[in-house]
Amino acid sequence: MLRVQNLTKRFGHVTAISNVSANIRKGRVTALLGDNGAGKSTLVKMICGTYKPTQGSVWVNGKQVHMDSARDALALGITAVYQDLALVDQRNVIHNISLGNIPTKWGGLVVDRKKMRETAENALSYMKAKLPSLDIPVSSMSGGQRQAVAIARACASGGQLVIMDEPTAALGIREQRMVLDVVHDLRAHGTSVLIISHNLDHVFEVADDLLILRGGRVVAEVERNAVSHDEVVRLILAGQPRDADLEEEVAA
Amino acid sequence: MSEANVTMAASTPQAALGRKLVAAAANSRELSVILAALAMFVALSLSTDTFFTELNLLNLLRQISVIGILAVGSTFIFISGEIDLSVGALLGLLAMICAALAIKMEGNIYGAALVVVALGAILSGINGVITTKLRIPSFITTLGMLSIYSGATLVLSKGMPISGLQNDLFRSLVAGRLFGVVPAQVIWMVAAGIFGTYLLLFTRFGYNVFATGGNKNAAKAVGINTDRVKILAFVVSGIMVGVTSFILVGWFRGVDPQTGNGLELSVIAAVIIGGTGLFGGQGSVLGTLVGALIIGMISNGTVLLGVDSYYEPVAHGTVILLAVIIDIWVRRQR
């Protein structure tokens, strides 16, 4: 679905991302792992159009793309669901799901409210998350419900790749469950997911592939089943697994 | 245990009713403003013989038409998360330009009216550009503009009023009476209210105004050009100021250089009392017009009750503060 090749990002003298190449495969959940400062956010921001790479290229469905803004990324089907959720608290679920993409009729003169409601209903239909109502402000909803709304918007806007930054942080246990279910639902629906998380239990539950960064470089790009919990921790902290065989695989 | 209870409770009829109540409460700001206005209306009707008469009520509506139209425009600015202190001063400047132009153009007040509406849109739009592009808080931008506009009005008029503009047709359009009863100014206010409601509730622009004022970063992240939305909100307000200015010029057959002085406070009061928060993201045109009605009833009531008119600004200020305190208190409850 998405491939980055030799991606580098420098801020002045600081190199945040150095020569990163990686694949995000279609219909799979990829976890982006790394300690604080490993370059996860910088990489994600280049994938969703917020930062321009200093060097290297981004490829979507086999074509090289240039993104200057989040809007460009959106047009390519890449949407990010941020930690701070990016919902408009005072507005209801329906508006939040169509945020920035309000449908109109009669030559753009009037908002098509019926279509807006249908868009919201469709986007939420394959998620198990239950919302109290589509017509109340999202400020009155729980963290998990708000995540569901934010993710539904990502899908409604034609998202082929949904990027989630710490989607389960600061949520209660039940709410975390809800978000992980949403990730499963997304994959079942054929949507690719890139998830940033420090919670390895969650990562091991939902991810198919792991992409591990350390010091701005890729130290591993592996399938979840190929590594153990401990090896992942060592990769994140030291840049190498305990296992020598795996080290070869990582180097390749 | 408690988790299970929550799950069960969510499916009972009582819970459904509870959800409806929550939804109603979320929309209740408008309702509570209307109830407050009704209470004032009943109180004034009972406590004076002169309030509840056709003549007084029509006069009251005519008096609030100026504040009402201006406040409809300001509502857009407030919902987009900005504030405008310059509407009164801009009104004075545009009215002066309108009258002066009408004289220059040998009484072509229609041409002058078009010019001031366009000029209002441009000048107010500049407020928006300075606020968004130079990142100056709109409070400061429009405070500066207030002073500039007031000064420009004095420079232009040399402090002298313009009077004696004769155009009977124009005057009947802006200050006549429909069917000999309803003042034209009230029709203009209702038209501004309908147009404003259409823009705010039925256009993509309106939705984006709410999104921009509610969470600017969220709006930006989904590709809304929040700067443009804010600038357009200022432009809508400028158009309303332009319309109000030609109504005043036609109504009074001229203009006084003091026109609009201090009016911004009443306009802001109407917007805030009407349930449009100080922090953006919520509000309504209907609420604003009811807010204007409350402001009007305070003025009208003080006169009818024989209260010293010097107390009127005190009453206005008190009501603004109360409205803001209630707004913030309601926010904290959520």
Side-chain angles (χ1 to χ4, degrees), chain B residues 245-293:
Chain B
S245 75
F246 73 65
I247 290 174
L248 280 180
V249 171
W251 184 358
F252 296 113
R253 298 192 176 90
V255 61
D256 184 280
Q258 299 296 318
T259 299
N261 260 7
L263 208 58
E264 54 280 340
L265 208 59
S266 302
V267 171
I268 292 170
V271 174
I272 299 293
I273 292 169
T276 299
L278 265 180
F279 307 100
Q282 56 190 12
S284 75
V285 168
L286 178 64
T288 291
L289 286 178
V290 177
L293 186 63

mmCIF file of all heavy atoms in Angstrom, chain B residues 245-293:
data_model
loop_
_atom_site.group_PDB
_atom_site.id
_atom_site.type_symbol
_atom_site.label_atom_id
_atom_site.label_comp_id
_atom_site.label_asym_id
_atom_site.label_seq_id
_atom_site.Cartn_x
_atom_site.Cartn_y
_atom_site.Cartn_z
ATOM 1 N N SER B 245 -25.350 50.711 7.789
ATOM 2 C CA SER B 245 -24.977 52.117 7.590
ATOM 3 C C SER B 245 -25.903 52.807 6.596
ATOM 4 O O SER B 245 -26.329 53.938 6.823
ATOM 5 C CB SER B 245 -23.508 52.226 7.159
ATOM 6 O OG SER B 245 -23.348 51.850 5.810
ATOM 7 N N PHE B 246 -26.264 52.121 5.492
ATOM 8 C CA PHE B 246 -27.148 52.830 4.550
ATOM 9 C C PHE B 246 -28.583 52.932 5.082
ATOM 10 O O PHE B 246 -29.307 53.864 4.755
ATOM 11 C CB PHE B 246 -27.047 52.286 3.115
ATOM 12 C CG PHE B 246 -27.661 50.940 2.834
ATOM 13 C CD1 PHE B 246 -29.032 50.739 2.932
ATOM 14 C CD2 PHE B 246 -26.870 49.881 2.380
ATOM 15 C CE1 PHE B 246 -29.608 49.509 2.619
ATOM 16 C CE2 PHE B 246 -27.436 48.647 2.069
ATOM 17 C CZ PHE B 246 -28.810 48.465 2.204
ATOM 18 N N ILE B 247 -28.962 51.947 5.928
ATOM 19 C CA ILE B 247 -30.284 52.053 6.555
ATOM 20 C C ILE B 247 -30.341 53.312 7.431
ATOM 21 O O ILE B 247 -31.289 54.101 7.366
ATOM 22 C CB ILE B 247 -30.605 50.801 7.408
ATOM 23 C CG1 ILE B 247 -30.828 49.594 6.494
ATOM 24 C CG2 ILE B 247 -31.822 51.047 8.299
ATOM 25 C CD1 ILE B 247 -31.008 48.276 7.228
ATOM 26 N N LEU B 248 -29.273 53.520 8.225
ATOM 27 C CA LEU B 248 -29.236 54.688 9.112
ATOM 28 C C LEU B 248 -29.266 55.996 8.310
ATOM 29 O O LEU B 248 -29.983 56.931 8.662
ATOM 30 C CB LEU B 248 -27.962 54.651 9.974
ATOM 31 C CG LEU B 248 -28.002 53.726 11.190
ATOM 32 C CD1 LEU B 248 -26.675 53.801 11.932
ATOM 33 C CD2 LEU B 248 -29.154 54.117 12.115
ATOM 34 N N VAL B 249 -28.477 56.040 7.227
ATOM 35 C CA VAL B 249 -28.402 57.262 6.426
ATOM 36 C C VAL B 249 -29.764 57.577 5.810
ATOM 37 O O VAL B 249 -30.231 58.724 5.822
ATOM 38 C CB VAL B 249 -27.311 57.136 5.329
ATOM 39 C CG1 VAL B 249 -27.395 58.310 4.357
ATOM 40 C CG2 VAL B 249 -25.930 57.073 5.967
ATOM 41 N N GLY B 250 -30.439 56.519 5.287
ATOM 42 C CA GLY B 250 -31.764 56.740 4.705
ATOM 43 C C GLY B 250 -32.776 57.134 5.758
ATOM 44 O O GLY B 250 -33.600 58.037 5.570
ATOM 45 N N TRP B 251 -32.685 56.482 6.898
ATOM 46 C CA TRP B 251 -33.624 56.682 8.002
ATOM 47 C C TRP B 251 -33.548 58.117 8.509
ATOM 48 O O TRP B 251 -34.562 58.803 8.630
ATOM 49 C CB TRP B 251 -33.259 55.674 9.094
ATOM 50 C CG TRP B 251 -34.147 55.604 10.312
ATOM 51 C CD1 TRP B 251 -35.242 56.354 10.602
ATOM 52 C CD2 TRP B 251 -33.977 54.684 11.402
ATOM 53 N NE1 TRP B 251 -35.769 55.977 11.805
ATOM 54 C CE2 TRP B 251 -35.022 54.953 12.320
ATOM 55 C CE3 TRP B 251 -33.066 53.680 11.697
ATOM 56 C CZ2 TRP B 251 -35.158 54.227 13.512
ATOM 57 C CZ3 TRP B 251 -33.206 52.974 12.879
ATOM 58 C CH2 TRP B 251 -34.254 53.251 13.775
ATOM 59 N N PHE B 252 -32.339 58.592 8.774
ATOM 60 C CA PHE B 252 -32.184 59.932 9.358
ATOM 61 C C PHE B 252 -31.876 61.005 8.322
ATOM 62 O O PHE B 252 -31.541 62.128 8.668
ATOM 63 C CB PHE B 252 -31.102 59.890 10.445
ATOM 64 C CG PHE B 252 -31.476 59.005 11.603
ATOM 65 C CD1 PHE B 252 -30.778 57.831 11.860
ATOM 66 C CD2 PHE B 252 -32.564 59.327 12.411
ATOM 67 C CE1 PHE B 252 -31.151 56.996 12.910
ATOM 68 C CE2 PHE B 252 -32.933 58.503 13.466
ATOM 69 C CZ PHE B 252 -32.233 57.323 13.715
ATOM 70 N N ARG B 253 -31.956 60.639 7.042
ATOM 71 C CA ARG B 253 -31.692 61.559 5.925
ATOM 72 C C ARG B 253 -30.324 62.229 6.054
ATOM 73 O O ARG B 253 -30.123 63.356 5.613
ATOM 74 C CB ARG B 253 -32.770 62.647 5.847
ATOM 75 C CG ARG B 253 -34.158 62.128 5.585
ATOM 76 C CD ARG B 253 -35.068 63.290 5.225
ATOM 77 N NE ARG B 253 -36.397 62.825 4.884
ATOM 78 C CZ ARG B 253 -37.385 62.670 5.759
ATOM 79 N NH1 ARG B 253 -37.186 62.956 7.034
ATOM 80 N NH2 ARG B 253 -38.547 62.259 5.370
ATOM 81 N N GLY B 254 -29.403 61.524 6.682
ATOM 82 C CA GLY B 254 -28.069 62.091 6.853
ATOM 83 C C GLY B 254 -27.329 61.298 7.903
ATOM 84 O O GLY B 254 -27.701 60.164 8.203
ATOM 85 N N VAL B 255 -26.267 61.910 8.451
ATOM 86 C CA VAL B 255 -25.485 61.169 9.428
ATOM 87 C C VAL B 255 -24.797 62.130 10.388
ATOM 88 O O VAL B 255 -24.435 63.250 10.019
ATOM 89 C CB VAL B 255 -24.446 60.268 8.710
ATOM 90 C CG1 VAL B 255 -23.483 61.096 7.883
ATOM 91 C CG2 VAL B 255 -23.676 59.418 9.713
ATOM 92 N N ASP B 256 -24.671 61.663 11.614
ATOM 93 C CA ASP B 256 -23.971 62.431 12.628
ATOM 94 C C ASP B 256 -22.600 61.785 12.834
ATOM 95 O O ASP B 256 -22.495 60.562 12.811
ATOM 96 C CB ASP B 256 -24.787 62.359 13.930
ATOM 97 C CG ASP B 256 -24.183 63.224 15.020
ATOM 98 O OD1 ASP B 256 -23.196 62.769 15.651
ATOM 99 O OD2 ASP B 256 -24.705 64.333 15.235
ATOM 100 N N PRO B 257 -21.534 62.580 13.003
ATOM 101 C CA PRO B 257 -20.207 61.961 13.162
ATOM 102 C C PRO B 257 -20.092 61.098 14.415
ATOM 103 O O PRO B 257 -19.160 60.324 14.535
ATOM 104 C CB PRO B 257 -19.241 63.156 13.214
ATOM 105 C CG PRO B 257 -20.080 64.356 13.414
ATOM 106 C CD PRO B 257 -21.451 64.051 12.931
ATOM 107 N N GLN B 258 -21.046 61.221 15.336
ATOM 108 C CA GLN B 258 -21.011 60.392 16.546
ATOM 109 C C GLN B 258 -21.671 59.027 16.335
ATOM 110 O O GLN B 258 -21.669 58.180 17.243
ATOM 111 C CB GLN B 258 -21.747 61.107 17.696
ATOM 112 C CG GLN B 258 -21.146 62.436 18.085
ATOM 113 C CD GLN B 258 -19.736 62.268 18.636
ATOM 114 O OE1 GLN B 258 -19.471 61.362 19.399
ATOM 115 N NE2 GLN B 258 -18.823 63.123 18.193
ATOM 116 N N THR B 259 -22.231 58.798 15.145
ATOM 117 C CA THR B 259 -22.952 57.544 14.879
ATOM 118 C C THR B 259 -22.106 56.312 15.216
ATOM 119 O O THR B 259 -20.938 56.238 14.826
ATOM 120 C CB THR B 259 -23.351 57.487 13.387
ATOM 121 O OG1 THR B 259 -24.200 58.591 13.109
ATOM 122 C CG2 THR B 259 -24.100 56.194 13.074
ATOM 123 N N GLY B 260 -22.699 55.398 15.932
ATOM 124 C CA GLY B 260 -22.020 54.129 16.210
ATOM 125 C C GLY B 260 -21.121 54.151 17.426
ATOM 126 O O GLY B 260 -20.621 53.108 17.842
ATOM 127 N N ASN B 261 -20.919 55.336 18.004
ATOM 128 C CA ASN B 261 -20.057 55.443 19.195
ATOM 129 C C ASN B 261 -20.520 54.522 20.308
ATOM 130 O O ASN B 261 -21.646 54.630 20.775
ATOM 131 C CB ASN B 261 -20.082 56.885 19.720
ATOM 132 C CG ASN B 261 -18.850 57.636 19.274
ATOM 133 O OD1 ASN B 261 -18.059 57.109 18.482
ATOM 134 N ND2 ASN B 261 -18.694 58.859 19.746
ATOM 135 N N GLY B 262 -19.656 53.626 20.731
ATOM 136 C CA GLY B 262 -19.989 52.783 21.879
ATOM 137 C C GLY B 262 -20.960 51.666 21.575
ATOM 138 O O GLY B 262 -21.322 50.887 22.454
ATOM 139 N N LEU B 263 -21.364 51.569 20.304
ATOM 140 C CA LEU B 263 -22.364 50.560 19.936
ATOM 141 C C LEU B 263 -21.808 49.141 20.060
ATOM 142 O O LEU B 263 -22.554 48.197 20.288
ATOM 143 C CB LEU B 263 -22.827 50.822 18.499
ATOM 144 C CG LEU B 263 -24.247 50.380 18.159
ATOM 145 C CD1 LEU B 263 -25.237 51.064 19.089
ATOM 146 C CD2 LEU B 263 -24.565 50.716 16.710
ATOM 147 N N GLU B 264 -20.459 49.024 19.910
ATOM 148 C CA GLU B 264 -19.866 47.674 19.938
ATOM 149 C C GLU B 264 -20.229 46.921 21.221
ATOM 150 O O GLU B 264 -20.423 45.707 21.201
ATOM 151 C CB GLU B 264 -18.344 47.717 19.756
ATOM 152 C CG GLU B 264 -17.561 48.612 20.705
ATOM 153 C CD GLU B 264 -17.611 50.073 20.288
ATOM 154 O OE1 GLU B 264 -17.911 50.339 19.107
ATOM 155 O OE2 GLU B 264 -17.382 50.946 21.124
ATOM 156 N N LEU B 265 -20.356 47.676 22.322
ATOM 157 C CA LEU B 265 -20.661 47.012 23.587
ATOM 158 C C LEU B 265 -22.041 46.353 23.551
ATOM 159 O O LEU B 265 -22.209 45.218 23.991
ATOM 160 C CB LEU B 265 -20.578 48.029 24.730
ATOM 161 C CG LEU B 265 -20.201 47.420 26.071
ATOM 162 C CD1 LEU B 265 -18.855 46.724 25.987
ATOM 163 C CD2 LEU B 265 -20.193 48.476 27.154
ATOM 164 N N SER B 266 -23.012 47.084 23.003
ATOM 165 C CA SER B 266 -24.371 46.517 22.901
ATOM 166 C C SER B 266 -24.373 45.316 21.968
ATOM 167 O O SER B 266 -25.074 44.322 22.204
ATOM 168 C CB SER B 266 -25.345 47.569 22.374
ATOM 169 O OG SER B 266 -25.354 48.686 23.219
ATOM 170 N N VAL B 267 -23.593 45.422 20.875
ATOM 171 C CA VAL B 267 -23.541 44.323 19.906
ATOM 172 C C VAL B 267 -22.941 43.075 20.558
ATOM 173 O O VAL B 267 -23.487 41.976 20.462
ATOM 174 C CB VAL B 267 -22.721 44.734 18.663
ATOM 175 C CG1 VAL B 267 -22.479 43.540 17.750
ATOM 176 C CG2 VAL B 267 -23.446 45.836 17.903
ATOM 177 N N ILE B 268 -21.812 43.274 21.251
ATOM 178 C CA ILE B 268 -21.167 42.138 21.923
ATOM 179 C C ILE B 268 -22.115 41.554 22.966
ATOM 180 O O ILE B 268 -22.250 40.337 23.100
ATOM 181 C CB ILE B 268 -19.835 42.569 22.572
ATOM 182 C CG1 ILE B 268 -18.824 42.923 21.475
ATOM 183 C CG2 ILE B 268 -19.273 41.471 23.468
ATOM 184 C CD1 ILE B 268 -17.563 43.598 21.987
ATOM 185 N N ALA B 269 -22.804 42.448 23.680
ATOM 186 C CA ALA B 269 -23.754 41.988 24.696
ATOM 187 C C ALA B 269 -24.821 41.114 24.067
ATOM 188 O O ALA B 269 -25.128 40.023 24.574
ATOM 189 C CB ALA B 269 -24.388 43.182 25.399
ATOM 190 N N ALA B 270 -25.379 41.557 22.936
ATOM 191 C CA ALA B 270 -26.432 40.779 22.275
ATOM 192 C C ALA B 270 -25.907 39.398 21.888
ATOM 193 O O ALA B 270 -26.577 38.385 22.097
ATOM 194 C CB ALA B 270 -26.945 41.520 21.042
ATOM 195 N N VAL B 271 -24.680 39.359 21.334
ATOM 196 C CA VAL B 271 -24.102 38.089 20.881
ATOM 197 C C VAL B 271 -23.885 37.142 22.064
ATOM 198 O O VAL B 271 -24.270 35.969 22.028
ATOM 199 C CB VAL B 271 -22.766 38.324 20.133
ATOM 200 C CG1 VAL B 271 -22.101 36.999 19.784
ATOM 201 C CG2 VAL B 271 -23.008 39.149 18.872
ATOM 202 N N ILE B 272 -23.277 37.682 23.133
ATOM 203 C CA ILE B 272 -22.943 36.839 24.290
ATOM 204 C C ILE B 272 -24.207 36.378 25.022
ATOM 205 O O ILE B 272 -24.349 35.208 25.365
ATOM 206 C CB ILE B 272 -22.031 37.606 25.278
ATOM 207 C CG1 ILE B 272 -20.712 37.989 24.593
ATOM 208 C CG2 ILE B 272 -21.757 36.769 26.517
ATOM 209 C CD1 ILE B 272 -19.841 36.840 24.237
ATOM 210 N N ILE B 273 -25.133 37.323 25.234
ATOM 211 C CA ILE B 273 -26.384 36.953 25.914
ATOM 212 C C ILE B 273 -27.112 35.903 25.087
ATOM 213 O O ILE B 273 -27.723 34.983 25.618
ATOM 214 C CB ILE B 273 -27.283 38.200 26.103
ATOM 215 C CG1 ILE B 273 -26.635 39.144 27.102
ATOM 216 C CG2 ILE B 273 -28.672 37.796 26.566
ATOM 217 C CD1 ILE B 273 -27.285 40.501 27.150
ATOM 218 N N GLY B 274 -27.001 36.005 23.761
ATOM 219 C CA GLY B 274 -27.684 35.066 22.876
ATOM 220 C C GLY B 274 -27.115 33.662 22.901
ATOM 221 O O GLY B 274 -27.565 32.807 22.144
ATOM 222 N N GLY B 275 -26.093 33.413 23.731
ATOM 223 C CA GLY B 275 -25.604 32.050 23.885
ATOM 224 C C GLY B 275 -24.401 31.710 23.016
ATOM 225 O O GLY B 275 -23.948 30.572 22.995
ATOM 226 N N THR B 276 -23.887 32.701 22.281
ATOM 227 C CA THR B 276 -22.660 32.454 21.543
ATOM 228 C C THR B 276 -21.508 32.671 22.509
ATOM 229 O O THR B 276 -21.336 33.765 23.014
ATOM 230 C CB THR B 276 -22.546 33.430 20.351
ATOM 231 O OG1 THR B 276 -23.652 33.207 19.479
ATOM 232 C CG2 THR B 276 -21.252 33.225 19.586
ATOM 233 N N GLY B 277 -20.750 31.625 22.787
ATOM 234 C CA GLY B 277 -19.708 31.732 23.800
ATOM 235 C C GLY B 277 -18.616 32.697 23.395
ATOM 236 O O GLY B 277 -18.506 33.094 22.245
ATOM 237 N N LEU B 278 -17.814 33.087 24.385
ATOM 238 C CA LEU B 278 -16.673 33.964 24.121
ATOM 239 C C LEU B 278 -15.531 33.189 23.493
ATOM 240 O O LEU B 278 -14.573 33.767 23.010
ATOM 241 C CB LEU B 278 -16.173 34.568 25.435
ATOM 242 C CG LEU B 278 -16.698 35.935 25.822
ATOM 243 C CD1 LEU B 278 -16.078 36.355 27.142
ATOM 244 C CD2 LEU B 278 -16.375 36.966 24.754
ATOM 245 N N PHE B 279 -15.621 31.851 23.499
ATOM 246 C CA PHE B 279 -14.460 31.063 23.114
ATOM 247 C C PHE B 279 -14.635 30.332 21.791
ATOM 248 O O PHE B 279 -13.825 29.521 21.410
ATOM 249 C CB PHE B 279 -14.125 30.072 24.238
ATOM 250 C CG PHE B 279 -13.971 30.748 25.565
ATOM 251 C CD1 PHE B 279 -14.997 30.742 26.478
ATOM 252 C CD2 PHE B 279 -12.812 31.435 25.863
ATOM 253 C CE1 PHE B 279 -14.861 31.395 27.703
ATOM 254 C CE2 PHE B 279 -12.674 32.083 27.077
ATOM 255 C CZ PHE B 279 -13.697 32.073 28.004
ATOM 256 N N GLY B 280 -15.727 30.619 21.103
ATOM 257 C CA GLY B 280 -15.900 30.066 19.772
ATOM 258 C C GLY B 280 -16.502 28.678 19.751
ATOM 259 O O GLY B 280 -16.585 27.997 20.764
ATOM 260 N N GLY B 281 -16.968 28.285 18.553
ATOM 261 C CA GLY B 281 -17.457 26.930 18.357
ATOM 262 C C GLY B 281 -18.926 26.719 18.617
ATOM 263 O O GLY B 281 -19.458 25.663 18.318
ATOM 264 N N GLN B 282 -19.569 27.712 19.216
ATOM 265 C CA GLN B 282 -21.011 27.560 19.397
ATOM 266 C C GLN B 282 -21.716 28.898 19.338
ATOM 267 O O GLN B 282 -21.114 29.945 19.537
ATOM 268 C CB GLN B 282 -21.335 26.839 20.695
ATOM 269 C CG GLN B 282 -20.752 27.508 21.926
ATOM 270 C CD GLN B 282 -20.902 26.612 23.142
ATOM 271 O OE1 GLN B 282 -21.238 25.437 23.009
ATOM 272 N NE2 GLN B 282 -20.662 27.143 24.313
ATOM 273 N N GLY B 283 -23.011 28.817 19.072
ATOM 274 C CA GLY B 283 -23.808 30.027 18.984
ATOM 275 C C GLY B 283 -24.836 29.902 17.885
ATOM 276 O O GLY B 283 -24.824 28.941 17.123
ATOM 277 N N SER B 284 -25.759 30.883 17.855
ATOM 278 C CA SER B 284 -26.774 30.842 16.806
ATOM 279 C C SER B 284 -27.252 32.252 16.507
ATOM 280 O O SER B 284 -27.171 33.147 17.352
ATOM 281 C CB SER B 284 -27.957 29.972 17.230
ATOM 282 O OG SER B 284 -28.744 30.661 18.176
ATOM 283 N N VAL B 285 -27.743 32.439 15.293
ATOM 284 C CA VAL B 285 -28.259 33.739 14.886
ATOM 285 C C VAL B 285 -29.549 34.052 15.636
ATOM 286 O O VAL B 285 -29.756 35.178 16.099
ATOM 287 C CB VAL B 285 -28.486 33.751 13.361
ATOM 288 C CG1 VAL B 285 -29.293 34.964 12.950
ATOM 289 C CG2 VAL B 285 -27.149 33.730 12.639
ATOM 290 N N LEU B 286 -30.402 33.029 15.794
ATOM 291 C CA LEU B 286 -31.654 33.242 16.525
ATOM 292 C C LEU B 286 -31.354 33.710 17.953
ATOM 293 O O LEU B 286 -31.940 34.677 18.444
ATOM 294 C CB LEU B 286 -32.485 31.953 16.550
ATOM 295 C CG LEU B 286 -33.793 32.052 17.338
ATOM 296 C CD1 LEU B 286 -34.738 33.065 16.694
ATOM 297 C CD2 LEU B 286 -34.480 30.688 17.454
ATOM 298 N N GLY B 287 -30.416 33.022 18.607
ATOM 299 C CA GLY B 287 -30.038 33.412 19.969
ATOM 300 C C GLY B 287 -29.569 34.855 20.015
ATOM 301 O O GLY B 287 -29.940 35.618 20.902
ATOM 302 N N THR B 288 -28.747 35.235 19.029
ATOM 303 C CA THR B 288 -28.233 36.600 18.972
ATOM 304 C C THR B 288 -29.363 37.613 18.851
ATOM 305 O O THR B 288 -29.358 38.650 19.528
ATOM 306 C CB THR B 288 -27.266 36.740 17.777
ATOM 307 O OG1 THR B 288 -26.092 35.974 18.049
ATOM 308 C CG2 THR B 288 -26.883 38.194 17.548
ATOM 309 N N LEU B 289 -30.346 37.324 17.989
ATOM 310 C CA LEU B 289 -31.454 38.271 17.818
ATOM 311 C C LEU B 289 -32.278 38.368 19.100
ATOM 312 O O LEU B 289 -32.723 39.454 19.475
ATOM 313 C CB LEU B 289 -32.330 37.845 16.627
ATOM 314 C CG LEU B 289 -31.680 38.105 15.260
ATOM 315 C CD1 LEU B 289 -32.576 37.608 14.131
ATOM 316 C CD2 LEU B 289 -31.372 39.590 15.072
ATOM 317 N N VAL B 290 -32.450 37.241 19.798
ATOM 318 C CA VAL B 290 -33.149 37.296 21.083
ATOM 319 C C VAL B 290 -32.299 38.082 22.087
ATOM 320 O O VAL B 290 -32.827 38.854 22.888
ATOM 321 C CB VAL B 290 -33.461 35.871 21.608
ATOM 322 C CG1 VAL B 290 -34.120 35.939 22.975
ATOM 323 C CG2 VAL B 290 -34.370 35.132 20.640
ATOM 324 N N GLY B 291 -30.972 37.918 21.996
ATOM 325 C CA GLY B 291 -30.071 38.707 22.834
ATOM 326 C C GLY B 291 -30.232 40.194 22.582
ATOM 327 O O GLY B 291 -30.274 41.003 23.514
ATOM 328 N N ALA B 292 -30.371 40.560 21.305
ATOM 329 C CA ALA B 292 -30.586 41.967 20.956
ATOM 330 C C ALA B 292 -31.912 42.458 21.546
ATOM 331 O O ALA B 292 -32.024 43.592 22.015
ATOM 332 C CB ALA B 292 -30.579 42.133 19.434
ATOM 333 N N LEU B 293 -32.906 41.561 21.512
ATOM 334 C CA LEU B 293 -34.220 41.910 22.063
ATOM 335 C C LEU B 293 -34.106 42.181 23.570
ATOM 336 O O LEU B 293 -34.707 43.130 24.089
ATOM 337 C CB LEU B 293 -35.212 40.772 21.801
ATOM 338 C CG LEU B 293 -36.665 41.026 22.195
ATOM 339 C CD1 LEU B 293 -37.246 42.176 21.390
ATOM 340 C CD2 LEU B 293 -37.508 39.763 21.991
#
